[in-house]
Amino acid sequence: MSEVAPALSVEAVSVDFGKRKKMRAVSEVSLEVAPGRTLAIVGESGSGKSTLARAMAGLVPIAGGSVSLLGEEFTKPRRAQRRNIQMVFQDPYSSLDPSSTVGNSLEEPLIVHERMSRPERAKRIAELLDSVGLPVDAARRFPHEFSGGQRQRIAIARAIATNPKVLLLDEAVSALDVSTQNQILVLLHDLQVQYELAYVFISHDLGVVRWLGDETAVMYMGRVVEQGPTERVHSDPKHPYTRALTSAMPIADPVGREERKRIPITGEPPNQFESFAGCIFSSRCPVATPECSTTPPPVVVDQAGGSARCHHIDAYPILASLPKHAATAALTSE
Ligand SMILES: Nc1ncnc2c1ncn2[C@@H]1O[C@H](COP(=O)(O)OP(=O)(O)OP(=O)(O)O)[C@@H](O)[C@H]1O
Ligand SMILES: [Mg+2]
């Protein structure tokens, strides 16, 4: 690991939902992101990505583990820390008040967190709009007057208003068309370089993640099953679940698209209301053996600087020697 203290780190973080009957939405997740770097988190719907992000921001109580921002552990971030970690969501309407002008939306965090005079705030708002590629007069307009991509630029401007060190981007480009997505990704990249921002970039789209993520963590049912340098995770996935995910990446031809429909992994996942000792993927895994459903999988570290939790690293050469679509077929056949 790097010498620099991580901008954000979580250590064995768990999150439970439900009062009488507890559901473990995030289970003992340990991850970190260095200043100016991007940690991508991928996984299917319901795997706990947003819940983990909310735990990172102190927006949901953790049942165990710890969260540290700039080397300082917190359970609920104090105001001084809160300015250092900001979120951007898929739908800018959730962060932008439709009845407020853009200028007022951008001014709010400045009023809460900064000691600035009114003219200083006006100057800062103009700077922020400029840094996300919007004209200064946008400040006088309302969110509905902008396109989806422009609204996301406004949400990003608001998120960086207080010069945070960490941005949590939860499906921040998912609702946008591909060309707008690309523009926002370029903007995010520029801002990251300019302000040394650390990103936690959440997406179900592996293609997007490959472009932006330095490190990638793959979540399945609340657990991180694999993590490592993004290029390694994509080109040489170790965990059977990651292999299924990478093989499910969009294929241009219509025949491939038909096949994609069949990709959802079969088998029943374990009940998240009950604590489950074994590998969370065991009931759906093509290389599972009886011990997989009873014994926690070991963390197997690979040479490229990543790790996967699996009992059957030995089975990987077999799995890896199959073409990717065959590995997927193995996953999808009963
Ligand atoms: N406030 C809540 N109360 C109860 N259960 C919740 C709550 N928020 C999330 N969950 C449950 O926790 C699990 C993880 O949900 P989460 O939203 O974190 O997944 P996700 O990976 O972000 O999914 P998506 O890709 O659909 O956004 C799901 O089973 C979900 O139903
Ligand atoms: Mg989510």
Side-chain angles (χ1 to χ4, degrees):
M1 282 287 115
S2 60
E3 304 279 307
V4 197
L8 178 76
S9 66
V10 293
E11 181 65 36
V13 158
S14 297
V15 179
D16 291 337
F17 286 120
K19 287 214 168 67
R20 248 172 286 148
K21 217 175 172 203
K22 288 215 188 320
M23 198 271 295
R24 182 138 285 197
V26 172
S27 181
E28 299 188 16
V29 167
S30 299
L31 291 169
E32 61 178 55
V33 55
R37 308 281 287 177
T38 299
L39 167 68
I41 300 178
V42 297
E44 64 197 52
S45 184
S47 56
K49 305 179 298 294
S50 296
T51 305
L52 176 62
R54 288 165 59 78
M56 286 170 165
L59 297 173
V60 62
I62 56 177
S66 63
V67 180
S68 300
L69 185 60
L70 308 171
E72 201 181 321
E73 191 179 324
F74 69 81
T75 40
K76 215 171 167 20
R78 296 189 315 276
R79 206 172 71 166
Q81 281 172 318
R82 199 181 290 273
R83 60 178 291 168
N84 280 318
I85 184 162
Q86 296 291 327
M87 286 187 87
V88 178
F89 301 94
Q90 173 166 351
D91 174 13
Y93 273 124
S94 59
S95 49
L96 297 176
D97 180 352
S99 64
S100 279
T101 62
V102 168
N104 285 343
S105 282
L106 297 182
E107 190 172 25
E108 194 187 74
L110 301 177
I111 292 172
V112 175
H113 293 288
E114 310 280 349
R115 288 165 179 271
M116 281 182 173
S117 65
R118 189 182 286 259
E120 283 170 336
R121 289 200 297 270
K123 184 165 165 273
R124 178 75 179 133
I125 289 165
E127 265 171 29
L128 286 167
L129 288 169
D130 184 57
S131 64
V132 299
L134 289 173
V136 177
D137 69 2
R140 291 197 308 272
R141 289 153 63 190
F142 290 88
H144 70 85
E145 297 177 55
F146 296 89
S147 69
Q150 288 171 325
R151 275 202 296 272
Q152 206 54 304
R153 287 174 190 266
I154 298 163
I156 292 167
R158 183 177 149 97
I160 62 171
T162 58
N163 287 313
K165 299 289 189 283
V166 182
L167 280 196
L168 305 174
L169 301 148
D170 191 352
E171 305 280 4
V173 300
S174 304
L176 306 171
D177 63 75
V178 173
S179 92
T180 312
Q181 259 186 11
N182 290 342
Q183 290 164 15
I184 299 291
L185 290 172
V186 169
L187 170 67
L188 287 170
H189 178 76
D190 291 347
L191 293 172
Q192 177 166 58
V193 172
Q194 195 178 344
Y195 299 112
E196 223 196 3
L197 283 161
Y199 290 158
V200 175
F201 187 88
I202 293 172
S203 181
H204 60 272
D205 185 338
L206 281 149
V208 168
V209 162
R210 190 167 196 168
W211 197 83
L212 199 71
D214 297 302
E215 303 272 321
T216 293
V218 181
M219 285 187 81
Y220 181 73
M221 296 203 68
R223 306 188 194 187
V224 171
V225 296
E226 176 158 7
Q227 65 192 86
T230 294
E231 211 32 58
R232 199 285 285 151
V233 171
H234 280 258
S235 61
D236 183 22
K238 303 290 187 191
H239 196 282
Y241 176 65
T242 315
R243 285 196 70 78
L245 265 191
T246 51
S247 67
M249 277 182 74
I251 308 163
D253 69 292
V255 179
R257 206 163 282 173
E258 266 313 297
E259 272 179 35
R260 248 181 94 202
K261 286 207 183 102
R262 282 190 266 117
I263 278 171
I265 299 153
T266 59
E268 288 295 315
N271 187 341
Q272 273 179 296
F273 285 100
E274 289 152 21
S275 63
F276 187 76
C279 170
I280 201 80
F281 190 57
S282 56
S283 62
R284 299 165 122 183
C285 179
V287 294
T289 51
E291 67 168 335
C292 296
S293 54
T294 54
T295 315
V299 178
V300 182
V301 176
D302 62 87
Q303 287 167 340
S307 62
R309 289 164 185 261
C310 180
H311 284 289
H312 297 299
I313 288 292
D314 292 348
Y316 293 147
I318 304 165
L319 208 59
S321 68
L322 297 169
K324 272 190 183 167
H325 65 268
T328 309
L331 282 174
T332 50
S333 64
E334 295 285 344

